[in-house]
Amino acid sequence: MSRIVDRKDQHLDVILSGRARHGLDNGFGDVRFEHEALPDLDHAKIDLGADFFGRRLKAPLLISSMTGGPARAEAINARLAEAAQHLGIALAVGSQRAALEAQAPTPGLDMALRLRAPDTPILANIGAAQLTRGFGVDEARRVLDMIAADALIVHLNPLQEACQPEGDRDWWGVGAALEALVKTLDAPVVVKETGAGISAAAAQRLFDMGVAAVDVAGAGGSNWATVEGERAEDEGDKAHAAAFADWGIPTARAIAEVRAACPKAVIIGSGGIRDGVEAAKAIRLGADMVGQAAGVLAAATVSTEAVVEHFQTMIRQMRTVCFCTGSANLTALRRAPLQG
């Protein structure tokens, strides 16, 4: 397990260094709201509330999955949970593979997390590649029980695995194993990418399996091929990963295309969301929820208060977008006129 822990700490260091930035832009620069100069609204009364897995949120925001070794995960997850509870937003933890393989809860990924965030939707997390390597329904239930989670995220990271020197590259049967898990597990399953995006066709396949939601996790934020290239020691591994610096579907495009193909589905938009204006654009393009991970990671290494301040700024920005588009709530924001 020590190798997994070391790898997760290396991942965290690369992301915090800023060297993992994607070669593609997230696509939101091409989306512009039409300004409403005469809004008939009280800024303070704009309703950003959203329902998510049976809980009412004050804003449609998800603190997206982050990783790191046990010692760092404990502090980071504690701060994120406290901030999520204070703000009334949702929280997804990073991969719990190490905890499963250790046969015991990983520090920071135990019931203390739920005690810090009793009213928060919390999402557990395992990797899709592990579903053909001995991880099944029993293991899924264990990661849910570890943190009293409301739902399970299964993350898709084929590009990262292909570029990781010790990656899991045999994905034969992963789709069938995922479908079996979705149909058997007595909890909602969310499927997310890790920064290369989910296409409309892939989303349709996932919803046909019965998944509860899809997080498109598009290109524009952290690039996990680049992360693995940064930590690789072999020059061939570095050269291989470098070719994928601009690989993937930009986040804005992924959201719009998945929404068009799956009009009634629950969609989470993440992937390089930088601020509340881009979060509002994601909602306008079709996201029900907006996730952010790397954008808040630096704050999460400092304090709960820093995380709260970060998201309070995002929420204020989202409310101002609603104010300047004449949108009293998220339903109206989804119909707000765009330029061009």
Side-chain angles (χ1 to χ4, degrees), residues 179-201:
E179 183 169 11
L181 176 68
V182 170
K183 294 185 181 305
T184 307
L185 189 66
D186 49 355
V189 176
V190 177
V191 177
K192 78 179 297 288
E193 237 285 344
T194 57
I198 291 179
S199 68

Side-chain angles (χ1 to χ4, degrees), residues 1-338:
M1 189 189 78
S2 61
R3 285 186 307 223
I4 296 175
V5 171
D6 290 344
R7 185 167 73 232
K8 291 183 180 301
D9 275 333
Q10 291 169 359
H11 289 162
L12 205 59
D13 289 336
V14 172
I15 292 172
L16 285 168
S17 74
R19 301 194 307 272
R21 196 70 193 174
H22 208 287
L24 286 177
D25 185 76
N26 60 24
F28 288 107
D30 296 328
V31 181
R32 300 188 66 83
F33 286 103
E34 184 174 296
H35 177 63
E36 172 54 70
L38 190 61
D40 190 16
L41 292 173
D42 181 345
H43 188 286
K45 293 181 179 179
I46 291 169
D47 181 13
L48 296 179
D51 294 316
F52 192 55
F53 292 120
R55 298 177 188 261
R56 186 68 178 174
L57 303 180
K58 293 180 182 178
L61 296 175
L62 169 68
I63 302 176
S64 237
S65 306
M66 297 184 210
T67 188
R72 297 167 87 179
E74 181 176 7
I76 288 173
N77 282 305
R79 292 164 186 155
L80 295 176
E82 290 168 352
Q85 174 68 22
H86 178 80
L87 294 160
I89 62 177
L91 170 65
V93 303
S95 174
Q96 291 166 265
R97 175 182 177 182
L100 281 176
E101 294 186 349
Q103 301 296 315
T106 299
L109 293 179
D110 54 27
M111 288 302 294
L113 201 65
R114 174 52 78 190
L115 293 174
R116 293 177 188 274
D119 306 309
T120 298
I122 298 179
L123 283 68
N125 188 332
I126 61 173
Q130 279 70 62
L131 295 179
T132 56
R133 291 164 176 79
F135 286 20
V137 175
D138 289 344
E139 288 74 20
R141 288 177 178 145
R142 281 177 56 204
V143 299
L144 287 163
D145 291 343
M146 276 182 202
I147 55 175
D150 297 275
L152 174 69
I153 288 177
V154 178
H155 66 263
L156 308 175
N157 62 337
L159 178 60
Q160 179 186 8
E161 298 288 0
C163 293
Q164 188 179 101
E166 61 273 67
D168 295 318
R169 298 185 182 88
D170 182 1
W171 278 50
W172 181 259
V174 169
L178 175 59
E179 183 169 11
L181 176 68
V182 170
K183 294 185 181 305
T184 307
L185 189 66
D186 49 355
V189 176
V190 177
V191 177
K192 78 179 297 288
E193 237 285 344
T194 57
I198 291 179
S199 68
Q204 285 180 309
R205 181 183 175 193
L206 291 166
F207 285 121
D208 286 344
M209 291 180 185
V211 305
V214 162
D215 184 342
V216 301
S222 297
N223 182 319
W224 284 92
T226 301
V227 171
E228 297 299 347
E230 286 286 334
R231 61 176 290 270
E233 296 178 359
D234 181 80
E235 290 303 318
D237 289 337
K238 289 181 179 293
H240 172 257
F244 296 92
D246 61 354
W247 183 274
I249 308 168
T251 302
R253 175 183 158 192
I255 294 170
E257 292 183 354
V258 172
R259 174 54 70 203
C262 309
K264 296 183 179 179
V266 177
I267 298 170
I268 302 168
S270 70
I273 304 286
R274 289 172 287 209
D275 53 40
V277 176
E278 291 191 342
K281 290 178 179 181
I283 295 292
R284 174 61 180 82
L285 292 177
D288 297 286
M289 293 281 294
V290 178
Q292 189 184 58
V296 70
L297 184 55
T301 64
V302 176
S303 65
T304 298
E305 292 73 20
V307 177
V308 169
E309 182 178 356
H310 170 89
F311 280 111
Q312 282 178 334
T313 298
M314 280 192 69
I315 291 168
R316 181 181 177 186
Q317 291 164 341
M318 291 184 72
R319 184 168 280 112
T320 296
V321 170
C322 288
F323 186 60
C324 292
T325 58
S327 305
N329 49 42
L330 297 181
T331 299
L333 179 62
R334 292 187 176 97
R335 300 192 300 261
L338 298 176

